[in-house]
Amino acid sequence: MGQKINPYGFRLGITTDWKSRWFSERDYKEYLTEDWKIRKALMTKLESAAVSRIEIERTRDKVRVDIHTARPGIVIGRRGAQADELRALLTDITGNPKVQLNIVEIKSPELDAALIAQGVADQLVNRIALRRAMKRAVQNAQKAGALGIRVQCSGRLGGAEMSRTEGYREGRVPLHTLRADIDFGVREARTSSGRVGVKVWIYKGDIVPYKSINDDKITREAAMAAGDPSGAGQPRRVVSSAGRRPTEGDVEAAPLIKEADPELEKLLDEEEEIARRTHGGSEAPHFRGED
């Protein structure tokens, strides 16, 4: 009947874990509001830092915020100035001076659905053709090892007066299989003709058995209960503001979606030329400024 469900929430507790890990009966409303304010403030301040997701963990008297990003140099800033500002911002929002900020580097942004959606949205804002942006994303994900990918854009595509939906799919994307590792991301492109929504689904394979995931979860919770907020059962690469300092090349933002193979780029150029000749080079007028 057309009802849709978020692939992340559909598998929550089975193959995916919560992005906010805490429990409180008395302060549930306050903590939930704080989590929303934290994510909104960080995503607004780090708009160009390629942030995929923000995870929040709370213990008895500590708050840990993990920022998963493909550009840790931008999040840290020069000599750690940006990280200090973020830590002060989190202290103001939570009112807790014991705020731990971890910056987790994403080594393969081509396999992160949120970052791919952000890359497609950035290209649409820069007036790159819609089909070119989506096909680039599909090819980059397949070259990185994805078993399947689906990209969908909705809105006034190409500045048209009537909104529509277009998408591309390559490989398998089994949305109803609970053991399937499906990464899902949504971003918005603020174009001159309105907002265009971008959705990306990536299939990375099956997660079996579930027992290993449950064991890792139990180990992490036991470590947190023992006073270790890092969670020893989940190794990851963390770039803290007190350690590595970014260089000039780290601060400059590289494009999230790289150019495709020369053969595909040539085919895309030919498609754009054919479309330009077919439509007479006319494009819908842009009456609005920046959204």
Side-chain angles (χ1 to χ4, degrees):
M1 296 296 293
Q3 286 84 4
K4 304 298 187 297
I5 187 170
N6 192 301
Y8 182 86
F10 186 50
R11 294 164 176 80
L12 196 60
I14 301 175
T15 58
T16 59
D17 197 5
W18 280 261
K19 296 181 181 179
S20 292
R21 293 182 286 272
W22 50 266
F23 179 78
S24 176
E25 293 183 350
R26 186 191 316 175
D27 301 324
Y28 181 85
K29 181 176 68 175
E30 288 76 10
Y31 287 171
L32 184 63
T33 306
E34 283 183 7
D35 289 359
W36 176 78
K37 289 181 179 179
I38 288 173
R39 289 192 172 92
K40 183 179 179 180
L42 291 180
M43 293 299 291
T44 302
K45 195 173 184 62
L46 303 174
E47 189 173 0
S48 62
V51 176
S52 173
R53 63 187 183 278
I54 298 173
E55 297 182 353
I56 302 173
E57 285 190 5
R58 298 176 186 269
T59 56
R60 182 174 302 176
D61 56 347
K62 294 182 180 180
V63 179
R64 191 182 79 185
V65 179
D66 297 339
I67 301 178
H68 296 258
T69 175
R71 300 168 181 167
I74 297 180
V75 179
I76 296 174
R78 299 185 184 277
R79 300 182 180 179
Q82 180 77 2
D84 295 337
E85 293 180 3
L86 295 178
R87 192 176 292 105
L89 177 63
L90 295 177
T91 302
D92 293 339
I93 294 176
T94 61
N96 188 348
K98 297 182 179 180
V99 176
Q100 180 182 357
L101 178 64
N102 293 332
I103 302 169
V104 184
E105 183 179 3
I106 298 177
K107 302 298 294 184
S108 300
E110 298 85 2
L111 293 177
D112 193 287
L115 296 183
I116 290 180
Q118 183 64 49
V120 174
D122 294 341
Q123 295 190 58
L124 295 180
V125 171
N126 294 330
R127 294 182 175 273
I128 294 179
L130 173 70
R131 293 180 179 87
R132 178 186 291 268
M134 290 194 293
K135 289 183 178 179
R136 280 178 178 176
V138 169
Q139 189 187 60
N140 289 338
Q142 285 186 319
K143 289 174 63 176
L147 299 181
I149 179 175
R150 176 185 173 191
V151 182
Q152 177 179 300
C153 296
S154 303
R156 294 182 58 186
L157 306 179
E161 293 296 328
M162 184 175 294
S163 63
R164 68 182 191 274
T165 300
E166 288 192 12
Y168 285 96
R169 174 188 292 179
E170 291 290 341
R172 294 179 57 238
V173 186
L175 298 180
H176 285 180
T177 306
L178 289 176
R179 66 174 179 272
D181 185 8
I182 302 292
D183 192 9
F184 177 69
V186 182
R187 289 294 186 270
E188 288 185 351
R190 299 189 180 118
T191 64
S192 58
S193 58
R195 299 204 179 195
V196 176
V198 182
K199 294 182 179 180
V200 176
W201 295 260
I202 296 180
Y203 173 52
K204 303 178 183 179
D206 293 342
I207 299 178
V208 288
Y210 302 149
K211 184 177 184 301
S212 61
I213 300 176
N214 294 332
D215 291 344
D216 293 341
K217 182 178 178 182
I218 293 173
T219 303
R220 186 174 63 253
E221 291 178 352
M224 291 181 60
D228 182 12
S230 61
Q234 206 173 29
R236 55 189 172 174
R237 177 178 176 82
V238 177
V239 181
S240 64
S241 59
R244 168 181 174 272
R245 300 301 184 187
T247 60
E248 294 288 339
D250 294 333
V251 178
E252 294 182 1
L256 290 174
I257 297 181
K258 303 176 183 178
E259 291 188 0
D261 294 336
E263 294 81 2
L264 180 58
E265 292 289 343
K266 185 177 179 181
L267 292 176
L268 294 176
D269 291 336
E270 294 177 357
E271 288 183 3
E272 291 183 9
E273 183 64 24
I274 293 174
R276 193 178 300 110
R277 292 178 180 177
T278 303
H279 298 288
S282 62
E283 187 179 359
H286 301 284
F287 298 107
R288 299 170 55 185
E290 293 185 2
D291 189 0

